[in-house]
């Protein structure tokens, strides 16, 4: 590691979580501990990062945001205790924390009935607290409801041909006849809605929300056919309710995020999409933390081709390249070739499996192994 001319080396540690093992903060602290044990004179700057998915609100808690507790409907409408992050009149609401996969009772998947209502309830709570800009972190969703649950929480009514409320969940949207938006909270017209996500999928079609993501939410082939048809009906009904042609929004990058929550935010709430990792790096002051840095350490549990598609460590690597600072990746495992890692911007890749070939022991002893890697970097 190159030392700065004026003195001690400076290392920025900005890692994402190691899923199933350590939170992002725990990863950062383990790496930092190893660096400092090897060279106590090193200045280590920990910067919490996320990409809009699970862990986003927690990351912001370490960057000047306050966490506000809120009780909302989980994906199967049972109450869950969640948080949103707030700084001034800016609030960040995380779908994963309110009504995502992690909130499914017993982990039982519910592809046809899971709802995004809890996200909308958290948005209302944030607006009640004075938020005028609300960022929606849209990773880790359990639902395929096109954001209809979120819209219900915000005051919309989804009605069938008889005028009765359509049951919640994407599987029921096929019976949708009309959407009444007259009850939407009027404060939404003065609230800026920003969609933070790391996917560019449209709402419908072979790259849409159902085709791309519903299988991981438990949808089989018959479920997927039903959900796709339901979202087609939903999109047409939304267009009728708003009096606008939403063909472009259906195809908009990010409309398919979180089972179509992105579409609802764009089409009904007038939101805009921003790449999750870039937005979050800005919120945590990542560029400022790089001043005078000699090395950046980033990583996540698996450094693979999904990382390259826009996960948080990829955003860090791109920022490091732009700043001309070498970046090393620490991970549990990697499936990328050395050439692919270099192309991604990594000066080096260190995997826990290089130190401990047993995956189970790797996960159990991840903090200790990360500290060992940190010591080698320091």
């Amino acid at each position: 590691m190159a030392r700065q001319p004026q003195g001690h080396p400076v290392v920025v540690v900005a890692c994402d979580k190691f899923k199933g093992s350590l939170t992002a903060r725990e990863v950062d602290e383990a790496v930092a501990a190893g660096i400092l044990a090897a060279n106590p004179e090193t200045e280590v700057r920990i910067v919490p990062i996320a990409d809009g998915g699970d862990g986003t609100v927690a990351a912001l808690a370490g960057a000047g945001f306050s966490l506000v507790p809120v009780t909302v409907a989980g994906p199967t409408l049972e109450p869950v205790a969640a948080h949103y992050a707030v700084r001034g009149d800016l609030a960040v609401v995380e779908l994963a924390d309110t009504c995502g996969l992690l909130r499914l009772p017993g982990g039982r998947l519910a592809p046809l009935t899971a709802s995004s209502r809890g996200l909308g309830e958290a948005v209302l709570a944030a607006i009640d607290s004075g938020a005028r800009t609300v960022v929606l972190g849209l990773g880790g969703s359990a639902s395929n409801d096109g954001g209809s649950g979120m819209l219900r929480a915000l005051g919309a009514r989804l009605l069938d041909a008889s005028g009765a409320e359509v049951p919640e969940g994407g599987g029921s949207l096929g019976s949708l006849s009309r959407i009444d938006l007259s009850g939407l909270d009027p404060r939404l017209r003065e609230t800026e809605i920003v969609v933070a996500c790391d996917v560019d999928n449209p709402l419908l079609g072979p790259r849409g929300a159902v085709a791309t993501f519903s299988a991981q939410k438990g949808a089989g082939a018959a479920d997927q056919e039903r959900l796709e048809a339901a979202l087609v009906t939903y999109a047409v009904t939304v267009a009728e309710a708003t009096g606008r042609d939403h063909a472009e929004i259906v195809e908009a990058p990010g409309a398919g995020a979180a089972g179509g929550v992105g579409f609802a935010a764009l089409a009904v709430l007038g939101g805009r999409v921003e790449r999750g990792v870039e937005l979050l790096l800005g919120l945590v002051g990542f560029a400022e933390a790089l001043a005078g840095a000699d090395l950046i350490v980033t990583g996540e549990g698996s450094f693979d081709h999904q990382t390259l598609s826009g996960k948080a460590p990829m955003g860090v690597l791109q920022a490091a390249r732009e700043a001309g600072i070498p970046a090393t990746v620490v991970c549990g495992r990697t499936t990328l070739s050395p050439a692919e890692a270099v192309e991604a911007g990594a000066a080096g890749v260190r995997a826990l499996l290089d130190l401990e070939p047993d995956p189970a022991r790797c996960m159990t002893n991840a903090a200790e192994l990360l500290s060992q890697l940190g010591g080698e970097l320091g």
Side-chain angles (χ1 to χ4, degrees):
M1 183 196 325
R3 288 178 177 268
Q4 288 183 285
Q6 64 268 32
H8 307 311
V10 176
V11 179
V12 174
V13 180
C15 299
D16 204 351
K17 60 188 173 295
F18 278 36
K19 188 171 292 186
S21 185
L22 299 172
T23 66
R25 186 75 187 187
E26 290 169 337
V27 174
D28 289 340
E29 290 176 347
V31 173
I35 293 172
L36 291 171
N39 186 354
E41 295 185 345
T42 302
E43 179 186 344
V44 179
R45 301 172 185 166
I46 290 178
V47 183
I49 64 165
D51 55 17
D54 176 27
T56 293
V57 165
L60 293 174
F65 282 73
S66 299
L67 295 190
V68 180
V70 61
T71 299
V72 299
T76 54
L77 305 184
E78 77 298 340
V80 299
H83 293 83
Y84 63 91
V86 62
R87 186 176 67 192
D89 63 359
L90 168 67
V92 181
V93 179
E94 178 188 314
L95 187 148
D97 187 43
T98 56
C99 53
L101 286 165
L102 296 174
R103 294 299 195 173
L104 285 166
R108 293 184 296 275
L109 301 174
L112 297 177
T113 57
S115 171
S116 59
R117 174 180 283 272
L119 182 68
E121 293 178 347
V123 169
L124 278 185
I127 293 174
D128 287 342
S129 73
R132 291 298 171 261
T133 299
V134 179
V135 176
L136 309 178
L138 296 189
S141 71
S143 56
N144 301 274
D145 72 347
S148 57
M150 175 185 70
L151 295 179
R152 292 177 199 259
L154 296 173
R157 299 177 66 219
L158 280 73
L159 309 172
D160 64 17
S162 70
E165 288 275 355
V166 172
E168 302 222 11
S172 300
L173 293 176
S175 62
L176 184 63
S177 177
R178 183 170 69 90
I179 298 177
D180 180 2
L181 299 177
S182 64
L184 278 179
D185 193 304
R187 295 173 299 174
L188 289 165
R189 291 193 292 269
E190 301 173 356
T191 304
E192 182 181 19
I193 302 294
V194 181
V195 175
C197 66
D198 63 356
V199 301
D200 62 0
N201 303 76
L203 179 66
L204 304 170
R207 292 188 61 251
V210 173
T212 307
F213 304 114
S214 67
Q216 68 195 42
K217 303 174 188 181
D223 293 336
Q224 291 182 27
E225 185 175 345
R226 176 178 172 182
L227 288 167
E228 181 74 7
L231 285 182
V232 170
T233 298
Y234 172 67
V236 170
T237 312
V238 166
E240 293 171 348
T242 58
R244 295 161 54 193
D245 179 2
H246 284 296
E248 290 186 7
I249 295 178
V250 166
E251 294 296 324
V261 172
F263 168 75
L266 293 171
V268 179
L269 304 183
R272 70 175 193 275
V273 174
E274 290 194 19
R275 188 169 171 233
V277 61
E278 293 177 354
L279 175 62
L280 270 296
L281 288 178
L283 292 179
V284 301
F286 187 71
E288 293 79 1
L290 297 185
D294 301 290
L295 175 69
I296 299 170
V297 181
T298 190
E300 61 181 338
S302 182
F303 184 51
D304 52 30
H305 289 92
Q306 286 192 12
T307 308
L308 304 184
S309 69
K311 304 292 264 185
M314 192 63 194
V316 173
L317 291 174
Q318 290 175 346
R321 175 179 288 171
E322 291 170 3
I325 303 169
T328 294
V329 172
V330 295
C331 55
R333 63 164 193 156
T334 182
T335 59
L336 299 180
S337 69
E340 288 173 322
V342 170
E343 178 66 22
V349 178
R350 300 300 311 276
L352 301 191
L353 285 174
D354 294 337
L355 303 178
E356 171 51 72
D358 183 275
R361 284 200 292 267
C362 251
M363 293 189 70
T364 302
N365 302 318
E368 177 184 341
L369 294 169
L370 281 167
S371 291
Q372 184 176 335
L373 289 183
E376 295 174 6
L377 295 173

